[in-house]
Every structure is written in C-alpha cells, then in structure tokens.
Amino acid sequence: MATTDRLTFLLEKIRASQASAEDVEELIGLIDADDTGVIVRSVNAFHDVEGMAPMPYDMAYWRSALQEVLETGKRLEVEETPVRRMSYRRWVAVAASILILAGVGAYFFFGHRQPRPTAAILRNDVPPGGNKATLTLANGATILLDSAANGVLAQQGGAKVLKTDSGQLAYHTTNEKPTEIFYNTLATPRGGQYQLMLPDGSKVWLNAASSIRYPTVFSGADRQVEITGEAYFEIAEDASKPFSVKVGSKEEVYVLGTRFNVNAYDDEPAVRTTLLEGAVKVSKDAATAVLKPGQQAELEPAGVMRLVPDPDIEQTMAWKNGLFTFNGTDINTIMRQISRWYDVDITFEGDIKEKFHLEISRNTNVSNVFRILETTGGVHFKINGKKIRVTP
C-alpha cells in the first residue's frame, strides 16, 4: 500500500475510534520517515485545517511534539529558536486536527486517560455558520442575500447594488448624480457573516450578529458608516474625504487609509478597536486614544478608555481568518463566540476557572470544538437542540 494510502487508512481508523496503540505508533513512524512535511500537511488536509500559512517543516520537532501529546497530554510550550521551529500557533492547529480525528477514541492521545463520553454531543450536533445576511434598501425593502442570485440586485441613487460571483455585496457608482442620499443596511444574523465593498472601494467583513449602515454613494466631504457587533475594515485611501466609523452611541473611530477591527458587541465587557495598519483616533466624549499599528483601545461601559500596547492580534483577527483562536481564554469569552457563530443559547452550571488554549477552523461542527475543550477534563458540554449546557 502506498504511503499516502496507508496514511489515509490510519487516519480513518483514528476517526472511527478503531485505532490501536500500534496504529498510532505507525503514524509516528510515517512522520519519522518523512522530512518534506508531506505527512503533516496531509493530516491538516484530512480535516481541512484552513487559514494556516505555510511553515518551515522540522520532522524531529514535530515527532517530539506529537509524542508529548501522546504520552502526557500537556500543552506544548514552544520557545523562540533561530531555525525551523514550528510556531505555537501552528502546533495548536495541527494538534487540533488530530484530536478532532481521534474523537471519542482519544484514549491514546492523553496518557491512556479515557475522556468523558461525547455521544450526546454527536446525537445533537450543530453545524457552523456561513455567509448569511439581509440587505435593507433605502425604501425599507429587504433582500435575503444568501438566497439571492448573483448580479444586479437594485439601483440605489447613483449606485448599482451587486452580488458578485464570489458572494460579496458591492456598490458600483454610475454617472448619475444623486439628488438625495440613500442609506442601506447590511445585517448578519447569529450564525452568519458577510463581506461588503463600499462605493469608495473600502472593504468590510461583518462577523455574526452584526450590522453596518452606510450611504450608497459618498457624495459629501467625508465618509461615515455606522456599525453594531464586530467588523473588520480595509479603507481605501482618499485624503480629501476622511473616513469614520460610528459605533452606536459608544464611540467614533476616525481613520485614513488603514486596516482595523472593531468589536462592539453589547455582551462584551468593552468595545475593542484594534489597529493593524495605518492610524486611527478613537473618541468618546472627552476620552481619546490615538493608535499605532499593533495597539488596541478598550472602552469600558463607564466611559473609561484604556490603551493596550500589545493585544493578542491573532486572537482578535481569528474570526476574519476563519478560525477560533483562544490563547489562555476563559470559558465565558469562548462561549460568547460559540453562541454567536453557531446560533445557540448557553447556560452554565458550576464555576469553571480553567483557561483554554485552542485553534481550530470555524468551518466545523460545534461538537469538534467541544471535544478538544473536554480533553482538559475541566469542562463538559451537553447539546439539546439549540441549547448548550456547560458544566465543570
């Protein structure tokens, strides 16, 4: 049997909870025999681990990392080294893919400790969210974008509204001069996300349970939009027309040619504006923060604004890259994201103090996320329709 066929055979056995200790050792042996990275890439591809940039491959390091998981179940701590070290972020994604494959057969992966059965999870699984949104036109008419055909959807003042072949919403200005300003609103439900190209060419990514209101043509001296929930922006440069984002009554973000993310969900403890490139000024009444790339402004409900000089950019931007990324994150924060993406309601029983480390594609059933979290032994889940019960 060819190596790739044998690899698929072993992974299928692990997925079906039929793998023996010898099967797992054989998988390690395949990793040992390969110095090209094909095996690890195949493991990723087997479960469609998305959004991961190519990394230099270090066979010896990968084998030792996997062996540590097999023997102890301890989270790998990766130190900075000058050559061919797999990053901690990369390790978590690869390890997660194998743990998912292992499922309820994760006995060999965690020191021969049998995990709590997950049959209830499997019987009541919840699929991931997807590209879902509703467009509300200036006259109040609505268009369900996930079922709308590609092409021209409407004419709004001096702009044609299009659903592109890639499933995005876009505005193309015409030569017609608008006599009045038309406003549209794009809104995603829980379990939805969508991409938008504004009439000036600026790009917006909307996370679940979010909305953006904007003019169909930027005809004035500035460009202003208003959001709820979470959105990531890549702003087209136009020095003659400053761009600003109004976050309800919470704050305003003034930008010029920049990339940034705003998280303003009502159930989060603070509004977080994170700058990736360019410059922004975040204002709320007398409180103001001017951000440099890699910084974050936190605005608390009481109006106190705090500058965070070194936020976790990976964790902040994970949703836009199709991932859940948790680096020492508490269960309440994790479950708020789960609730919005899978459109489920969460209840807690008992106090869970553990912090969790995980990276996994958002394009997976909720049970796969829960399986990995449950391997810590510090949290368990039960699914009943659209209701999730979380216990220690």
Side-chain angles (χ1 to χ4, degrees):
M1 185 181 294
T3 299
T4 53
D5 292 340
R6 185 63 184 172
L7 174 65
T8 301
F9 173 76
L10 291 171
L11 291 173
E12 288 286 7
K13 288 190 72 174
I14 292 172
R15 170 179 277 173
S17 306
Q18 297 172 352
S20 65
E22 290 74 19
D23 292 327
V24 175
E25 285 302 319
E26 184 178 350
L27 177 60
I28 293 176
L30 287 175
I31 293 169
D32 271 343
D34 173 54
D35 60 0
T36 65
V38 170
I39 297 299
V40 172
R41 287 192 291 273
S42 296
V43 171
N44 283 346
F46 192 81
H47 195 72
D48 190 26
V49 176
E50 300 175 344
M52 303 306 298
M55 294 292 295
Y57 183 66
D58 185 334
M59 178 270 293
Y61 177 69
W62 163 247
R63 187 202 190 286
S64 66
L66 179 57
Q67 190 65 53
E68 181 172 348
V69 176
L70 293 171
E71 291 177 351
T72 68
K74 293 180 180 178
R75 183 174 66 84
L76 180 66
E77 299 289 352
V78 177
E79 299 178 354
E80 293 294 331
T81 59
V83 293
R84 297 207 306 165
R85 250 329 169 193
M86 187 184 295
S87 71
Y88 175 68
R89 179 174 183 268
R90 179 67 169 170
W91 156 249
V92 172
V94 174
S97 70
I98 292 181
L99 290 174
I100 290 167
L101 294 171
V104 295
Y107 176 84
F108 295 111
F109 283 81
F110 282 93
H112 305 286
R113 180 184 64 186
Q114 184 69 34
R116 181 168 169 167
T118 55
I121 289 178
L122 295 175
R123 284 198 303 270
N124 302 283
D125 215 348
V126 181
N131 291 331
K132 305 172 189 175
T134 299
L135 174 65
T136 303
L137 303 176
N139 63 1
T142 59
I143 300 173
L144 192 62
L145 293 177
D146 32 311
S147 59
N150 296 341
V152 178
L153 301 177
Q155 177 80 34
Q156 293 284 278
K160 285 184 178 180
V161 186
L162 305 170
K163 182 180 177 183
T164 68
D165 292 342
S166 59
Q168 301 178 15
L169 187 66
Y171 287 75
H172 290 179
T173 56
T174 65
N175 292 328
E176 177 187 343
K177 206 163 188 180
T179 56
E180 60 178 312
I181 300 176
F182 289 76
Y183 284 90
N184 285 183
T185 300
L186 179 66
T188 56
R190 292 204 308 176
Q193 63 181 8
Y194 221 80
Q195 292 184 36
L196 164 68
M197 181 177 287
L198 292 168
D200 66 340
S202 295
K203 299 176 183 178
V204 185
W205 284 254
L206 271 189
N207 203 351
S210 302
S211 70
I212 179 169
R213 182 176 181 267
Y214 50 91
T216 60
V217 176
F218 291 117
S219 57
D222 60 5
R223 299 170 288 168
Q224 185 179 74
V225 302
E226 184 173 352
I227 71 161
T228 65
E230 184 167 23
Y232 168 74
F233 292 84
E234 293 184 355
I235 303 304
E237 230 176 301
D238 186 349
S240 66
K241 288 188 177 183
F243 195 102
S244 63
V245 179
K246 189 176 180 184
V247 188
S249 60
K250 299 175 182 177
E251 69 176 28
E252 194 154 355
V253 182
Y254 300 91
V255 305
L256 180 62
T258 189
R259 298 189 298 128
F260 63 99
N261 189 80
V262 180
N263 182 315
Y265 288 112
D266 289 337
D267 60 353
E268 293 294 335
V271 178
R272 295 182 176 90
T273 302
T274 309
L275 181 64
L276 277 71
E277 181 181 289
V280 299
K281 180 175 76 171
V282 184
S283 297
K284 169 62 176 175
D285 300 330
T288 298
V290 178
L291 301 186
K292 297 178 181 178
Q295 293 183 337
Q296 183 181 85
E298 281 191 353
L299 178 65
E300 298 175 357
V304 177
M305 188 173 294
R306 185 170 71 93
L307 181 66
V308 182
D310 55 348
D312 190 330
I313 300 295
E314 278 187 350
Q315 185 163 306
T316 298
M317 295 308 305
W319 73 269
K320 186 257 178 185
N321 297 324
L323 298 169
F324 289 116
T325 298
F326 304 120
N327 297 324
T329 308
D330 65 87
I331 194 64
N332 295 81
T333 300
I334 291 173
M335 296 312 294
R336 287 195 296 271
Q337 292 193 35
I338 295 293
S339 175
R340 290 190 286 262
W341 183 236
Y342 291 97
D343 186 18
V344 292
D345 297 319
I346 312 296
T347 57
F348 292 89
E349 295 181 8
D351 190 18
I352 301 167
K353 298 184 181 298
E354 189 160 352
K355 305 291 185 180
F356 298 88
H357 297 261
L358 167 67
E359 182 164 285
I360 186 173
S361 168
R362 295 210 309 176
N363 188 31
T364 189
N365 288 356
V366 73
S367 65
N368 290 330
V369 182
F370 291 167
R371 282 170 173 170
I372 298 175
L373 291 171
E374 284 193 343
T375 58
T376 65
V379 64
H380 298 92
F381 305 90
K382 185 172 183 180
I383 303 174
N384 182 13
K386 286 284 190 176
K387 298 184 184 298
I388 309 292
R389 182 160 57 91
V390 185
T391 60

